[in-house]
Each structure stands twice: as C-alpha cells, then as structure tokens.
C-alpha cells in the first residue's frame, strides 16, 4: 500500500478556503430549486417556497440572524397571523439549511431562530340546555338508538364532547 497523500487538490482547496458568496438571490435560488427537484419534492412544495420567498421582498442570502429577527418583528407589527409568519420562517429555514448543508455559507442564520408559539383558542362547547335538547331528540328505549344518532351527528359535524365527571 502506498503512502497517503496529504495535499489537497485545487477543487478541495477552493471548497475549504472560500465558501461561495452570492451577490443576489438568483444563483442561490437556482441551486436551491435544483436540489428540491433532485430530492423529488412535489410541485406544490416548490410553488409554496416561491410564494414565501416572493412575499418577503428582501435579498435572503445576505441576511444575518439579527436581520431575520428584525424581519419577524416587522411581520408581527404588520399584524400578520402567527401561522403566516411561521410558514415564511419554515421556508427561509429550509433555504438556509440547504445553503449550509452544501457549504455555500459557513453559519446558518436560522440555526437559533425558533418558530413563534401559537396560542390555542378555547373551543366553544355545548351548554347543558343544548345537550338536553340533543338527547331529547333521540329514542331513549335502547342504548343503540341513543348512541347511533349522536355519534353520527358528532362525526358529521366534527363535534366532540369532553365528558367531565363531577
């Protein structure tokens, strides 16, 4: 077996010494969408990424972590919904994950940025009167005649009961 060569080739040196820098988003987007197609992502996913990137209206490749936090704050001040902001954040994260994974950037600016927490809203439940009215509409002679219409109605209307025992 021969002696190991410790020298790097020209291509290897270029990769190690200088990461790719992009003057604009065009080349970065081209590489990103080529990678998406190689991973066989659905056309709907590619459309989603394009829409989210177009909605941001800023050059993405030059963004820092501080810029992204400022962008999120601006979206909140614009009264965008949390789901919209998180959707855009996911698209940006995917883009920067690709750039970092392919060694186009040294540091991923999205690495420490978390999605916004969505507050859960209380679900309206049926009142006691509404429940009594519902049960009065059923034939009470057998359990199945009570259960079947109620279960059917709950499935049809996506209504679910939470039973609380006193």
């Amino acid at each position: 077996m021969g002696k190991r060569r410790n020298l790097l080739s020209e291509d290897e040196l270029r990769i190690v010494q200088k990461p790719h820098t992009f003057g604009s988003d065009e080349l970065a987007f081209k590489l990103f969408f080529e990678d998406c197609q190689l991973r066989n992502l659905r056309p709907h996913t590619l459309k989603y990424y394009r829409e989210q990137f177009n909605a941001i209206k800023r050059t993405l490749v030059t963004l820092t972590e501080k810029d992204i936090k400022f962008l999120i704050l601006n979206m909140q001040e614009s009264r965008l919904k949390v789901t919209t902001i998180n959707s855009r954040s996911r698209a940006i994260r995917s883009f920067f994950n690709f750039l970092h994974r392919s060694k186009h950037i040294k540091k991923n600016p999205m690495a420490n940025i978390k999605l916004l927490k969505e507050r859960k809203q209380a679900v309206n439940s049926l009142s006691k009167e509404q429940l009594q009215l519902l049960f009065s509409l059923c034939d009470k002679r057998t359990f199945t005649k009570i259960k079947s219409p109620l279960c059917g109605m709950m499935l049809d209307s996506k209504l679910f009961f939470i039973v609380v025992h006193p």
Side-chain angles (χ1 to χ4, degrees), residues 15-117:
I15 291 170
V16 172
Q17 291 175 347
K18 182 182 171 194
H20 297 284
T21 55
F22 301 103
S24 68
D25 287 343
E26 289 178 29
L27 179 60
F29 284 152
K30 182 178 181 280
L31 294 172
F32 174 72
F33 286 112
E34 284 175 1
D35 180 66
C36 290
Q37 288 178 336
L38 289 173
R39 290 185 290 142
N40 202 25
L41 296 183
R42 297 181 63 222
H44 181 73
T45 305
L46 298 175
K47 180 183 172 197
Y48 156 77
Y49 284 143
R50 282 191 181 92
E51 288 172 354
Q52 298 307 316
F53 296 150
N54 288 335
I56 293 169
K57 296 178 181 146
R58 289 189 62 181
T59 303
L60 290 179
V61 293
T62 59
L63 291 179
T64 63
E65 184 176 339
K66 184 178 177 181
D67 294 331
I68 293 170
K69 287 179 180 178
F70 184 72
L71 180 68
I72 291 171
L73 287 173
N74 282 342
M75 286 190 277
Q76 285 178 316
E77 289 172 4
S78 300
R79 303 271 189 236
L80 289 177
K81 291 185 178 182
V82 173
T83 52
T84 303
I85 297 170
N86 283 344
S87 182
R88 291 184 184 164
S89 295
R90 283 186 194 97
I92 295 170
R93 173 173 283 122
S94 178
F95 177 67
F96 280 114
N97 282 345
F98 160 74
L99 292 177
H100 186 257
R101 186 177 58 245
S102 8
K103 308 273 191 268
H104 294 296
I105 58 174
K106 286 184 180 181
K107 185 176 184 282
N108 185 350
M110 286 296 290
N112 298 323
I113 295 181
K114 307 268 188 272
L115 295 177
L116 299 178
K117 185 176 180 179

Side-chain angles (χ1 to χ4, degrees), residues 124-136:
N124 293 336
S125 59
L126 298 175
S127 67
K128 286 184 181 182
E129 294 81 24
Q130 290 170 325
L131 284 173
Q132 287 174 347
L133 176 64
L134 198 59
F135 283 118
S136 71

